[in-house]
């Protein structure tokens, strides 16, 4: 899991800054207090899997399903 701010989009794919291979793994953002804000999985540089967004209190606000970089409905 890497800090989401260390990822960047290039040509429609996501990379860890300074790297040449598309990112595989999870990106995470946190609230200033350290609680999770958002977590999203990537596969071959594309968002793929379940993105989870949490509220400040730690409760799940929203889930988004991604498949090969496209959000489901």
């Amino acid at each position: 899991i890497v800090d989401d701010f260390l990822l960047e989009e290039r040509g429609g794919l996501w990379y860890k800054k300074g790297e040449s291979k598309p990112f595989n793994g999870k990106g995470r953002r946190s609230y200033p207090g350290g609680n999770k804000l958002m977590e999203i999985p990537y596969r071959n540089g594309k968002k793929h899997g379940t993105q989870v967004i949490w509220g400040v209190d730690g409760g799940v606000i929203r889930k988004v399903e991604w498949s090969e970089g496209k959000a489901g409905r």
Side-chain angles (χ1 to χ4, degrees):
I1 296 176
V2 301
D3 187 315
D4 188 61
F5 291 109
L6 297 177
L7 301 177
E8 62 185 3
E9 187 176 15
R10 290 185 250 143
L13 296 177
W14 289 87
Y15 297 81
K16 192 171 179 183
K17 290 180 181 177
E19 295 191 3
S20 60
K21 291 185 179 181
F23 181 68
N24 284 297
K26 289 185 179 181
R28 178 184 288 165
R29 285 189 191 174
S30 298
Y31 286 102
N35 289 347
K36 291 187 281 188
L37 183 153
M38 184 270 303
E39 190 171 278
I40 185 165
Y42 294 84
R43 185 172 74 186
N44 299 320
K46 295 181 180 180
K47 295 175 181 180
H48 189 84
T50 304
Q51 175 184 13
V52 181
I53 301 166
W54 290 270
V56 178
D57 64 358
V60 174
I61 294 174
R62 184 173 177 206
K63 290 185 178 184
V64 179
E65 293 296 326
W66 291 87
S67 179
E68 298 298 321
K70 297 186 186 329
R73 295 183 185 255

